Amino acid sequence: MLRTQTQPEPSMTEPSMSAWSPGSWRDFPAAQQPDWPDEAELERVLKVISGLPPLVFAGEARSLTSQLALAAEGKAFLLQAGDCAESFDALSANNIRDKLRVILQMAVVLTYSAGVPIVKVGRIAGQFAKPRSSPTESKGGSSLPSFRGHMVNDAPFTATARVADAARLLTAYHQSSATLNLLRSFATGGFADLNQVHSWNRSFVASSPSGRRYEEVASGIGSALRFMSACGINSADDPRLHTVDFYTSHEALILGYEEAMTRVDSLTGDQYGCSAHMLWVGERTRQLDGAHLEFLRGVKNPLGCKIGPGATPEDVLTICEKLNPERIPGRLTLISRMGAEKIADALPPLLRATRNSDHVVSWVCDPMHGNTFTSASSGRKTRHFEDICAEIDTFFRVHHHEGAPPGGIHVELTGDSVTECLGGSEDLGHEDLPMRYETACDPRLNGRQSLDLAFRVAELLRKEHCLA
Ligand code: PEP
Ligand code: CO
């Protein structure tokens, strides 16, 4: 078994946690793990990774936990967004900047229109592994292992490309590191300064109806900043106006990698998954007795768990007990991904179960993964903007009915003008999909559709706060 560092003394007060170690998941069934052809090579690579610097600090993960605790109380709102799957081939400064930019634009719209602080978390700097509905893919009579994301294998339908290659884990680490490095610079080095709100509106977004509405928001913010300055409020030294807190997250799927990225925090002695600030477990890997919950229960990061329409109230409460036995506010975010048609029936009993328990969780809405279908004309996977909005709308209604604050949204998007999702203000149709269909996995909202969505959600949030 791979040991990444010396274990702290087991706590006498938490007997249920005493059996946990970064590698204890190995004693549990692990779903969705690649078939690594060379076990020795895999362990060699993981040993190298376990000696590399952490990508995030424990203190940053704790700050995110505190912010997510506010979201659970309705005092903040989570915007978790980014690619379905990051691609090794798409690592560039422009790409990272554009993704951050559209997330910042959305956050500004939400904050300005609804007056709620937005917790910004990217599906970025580590979102390289994908669970698949089938371990193999068949085409033209031949069958190959499925593409599992760039940290495992490659997308082309050839036998060589689909072999799981442990060296990719190391590439994933370095690519995450380069991405995070640039994100940190963008977040604190002037790009994210509120005085820059106008410049975040890229031309193809700016020319859309939402882009023009965004200009009004940006002008309003500009006036407010000038007003404060005229009143003698010196905002120049207040970092809150010039930098943003931007956090990273990904699905903790490949457990060998996550184990190798676990480090002991020297301040608290606690173990943190240092591959990202927030880690989540997917709908296909959240088995109650499985390896993924076993791994995640022991790291102190804020955690997410996807919850699909098949989950029962008992499942959800068992997950809460397992991942947050100490009931730490902000520790656990449940990510509802039901589909627009199912959410009205599926979510209420689950939300009620957590509300009636003594667990503190925030529910956020992933309106993407329950609304995917294949477009008959192009054979491409897609989602309709209106289904996405409909699911969020019902999510808000259910929360209002139950007297619970909606905690946030979790979406797949890119800053580019791709054509992967239907609808939005430019009304993309089936015939438009092949034009710029570039995703490495699921269809993403493009820059315009993302801003369209921000205005729709801002409207819901504003109503929610008026009603509260
Ligand atoms: C994802 O978030 O990309 C994903 C695969 O989600 P889910 O686990 O909800 O299907
Ligand atoms: Co996806």
Side-chain angles (χ1 to χ4, degrees):
M1 188 172 72
L2 185 84
R3 290 271 165 210
T4 49
Q5 64 273 303
T6 26
Q7 301 303 304
E9 290 295 314
S11 157
M12 300 306 288
T13 54
E14 294 162 13
S16 66
M17 296 297 273
S18 60
W20 186 90
S21 74
S24 58
W25 64 269
R26 291 172 184 253
D27 296 331
F28 295 78
Q32 298 281 343
Q33 299 307 287
D35 219 347
W36 301 104
D38 185 343
E39 203 61 34
E41 172 64 3
L42 171 67
E43 293 303 326
R44 189 194 67 76
V45 170
L46 292 178
K47 193 157 190 336
V48 171
I49 293 173
S50 68
L52 294 172
L55 293 173
V56 300
F57 291 136
E60 297 170 332
R62 280 193 289 275
S63 304
L64 178 55
T65 302
S66 317
Q67 296 199 28
L68 292 170
L70 294 176
E73 288 179 53
K75 294 181 180 155
F77 191 76
L78 171 66
L79 172 59
Q80 189 169 17
D83 284 315
C84 177
E86 287 178 273
S87 162
F88 281 180
D89 308 325
L91 174 64
S92 76
N94 289 357
N95 200 325
I96 296 165
R97 178 200 60 202
D98 293 347
K99 227 172 293 170
L100 177 65
R101 175 153 54 190
V102 75
I103 294 172
L104 293 179
Q105 278 191 280
M106 291 175 79
V108 155
V109 167
L110 290 165
T111 312
Y112 189 80
S113 311
V116 187
I118 303 299
V119 184
K120 295 167 278 294
V121 179
R123 286 175 64 113
I124 198 167
Q127 177 53 21
F128 290 112
K130 297 312 300 172
R132 303 318 304 253
S133 35
S134 164
T136 55
E137 182 183 348
S138 301
K139 234 188 229 176
S142 54
S143 175
L144 290 174
S146 292
F147 171 52
R148 290 185 176 274
H150 274 162
M151 83 190 273
V152 175
N153 57 7
D154 207 355
F157 191 75
T158 67
T160 332
R162 294 294 173 88
V163 175
D165 177 2
R168 287 178 169 271
L169 298 172
L170 201 52
T171 309
Y173 170 90
H174 288 297
Q175 188 145 331
S176 302
S177 165
T179 303
L180 244 168
N181 184 47
L182 198 61
L183 283 172
R184 289 185 194 282
S185 304
F186 280 137
T188 58
F191 180 80
D193 191 315
L194 258 194
N195 291 292
Q196 300 296 321
V197 277
H198 276 290
S199 70
W200 298 341
N201 212 1
R202 272 178 89 202
S203 55
F204 96 90
V205 175
S207 58
S208 70
S210 293
R212 287 191 290 276
R213 273 179 89 184
Y214 175 82
E215 278 304 314
E216 288 167 24
V217 169
S219 298
I221 291 169
S223 303
L225 291 173
R226 282 192 300 280
F227 175 74
M228 285 200 304
S229 158
C231 290
I233 299 168
N234 184 1
S235 62
D237 298 331
D238 192 329
R240 285 169 300 183
L241 297 176
H242 307 294
T243 64
V244 291
D245 290 331
F246 187 82
Y247 298 97
T248 61
S249 69
H250 61 255
E251 178 173 351
L253 185 70
I254 306 299
L255 290 173
Y257 178 78
E258 300 303 338
E259 174 188 349
M261 286 304 297
T262 306
R263 305 284 182 274
V264 174
D265 171 30
S266 54
L267 275 181
T268 60
D270 287 329
Q271 304 264 6
Y272 281 82
C274 290
S275 60
H277 299 110
M278 179 180 185
L279 297 172
W280 81 81
V281 60
E283 171 70 357
R284 294 169 190 78
T285 51
R286 59 169 174 77
Q287 295 80 11
L288 303 178
D289 300 322
H292 290 82
L293 289 193
E294 170 59 20
F295 174 76
L296 286 176
R297 78 178 175 92
V299 292
K300 280 278 181 174
N301 307 56
L303 303 175
C305 181
K306 293 288 194 90
I307 304 288
T312 64
E314 295 70 41
D315 292 341
V316 170
L317 292 177
T318 307
I319 288 167
C320 292
E321 192 59 43
K322 198 149 206 166
L323 295 182
N324 193 13
E326 295 166 87
R327 285 131 172 88
I328 298 165
R331 154 81 166 168
L332 181 58
T333 298
L334 298 176
I335 307 167
S336 154
R337 36 88 79 221
M338 305 291 177
E341 302 217 318
K342 295 192 176 152
I343 183 168
D345 291 331
L347 181 58
L350 307 181
L351 178 58
R352 223 167 285 146
T354 57
R355 298 282 292 167
N356 292 339
S357 75
D358 61 350
H359 283 287
V360 268
V361 294
S362 111
W363 282 88
V364 316
C365 179
D366 166 356
M368 314 298 290
H369 288 90
N371 293 312
T372 317
F373 64 97
T374 302
S375 165
S377 54
S378 63
R380 315 253 182 187
K381 274 202 287 183
T382 190
R383 294 155 172 163
H384 202 291
F385 182 79
E386 291 307 325
D387 294 338
I388 291 167
C389 290
E391 180 157 355
I392 298 178
D393 200 77
T394 308
F395 180 83
F396 269 75
R397 261 195 302 112
V398 167
H399 273 75
H400 185 69
H401 191 255
E402 297 296 327
I409 56 168
H410 178 122
V411 289
E412 292 183 341
L413 56 71
T414 168
D416 294 336
S417 55
V418 298
T419 55
E420 298 169 4
C421 288
L422 302 166
S425 58
E426 56 192 326
D427 201 19
L428 283 182
H430 289 269
E431 66 289 355
D432 298 316
L433 293 181
M435 216 157 41
R436 270 197 76 179
Y437 194 96
E438 297 174 2
T439 182
C441 193
D442 289 339
R444 304 159 296 175
L445 296 169
N446 65 26
R448 283 179 170 186
Q449 292 167 327
S450 301
L451 206 52
D452 294 339
L453 186 72
F455 279 107
R456 297 278 277 258
V457 175
E459 193 61 37
L460 290 169
L461 261 180
R462 198 164 35 220
K463 268 199 241 155
E464 182 63 31
H465 279 257
C466 291
L467 293 166

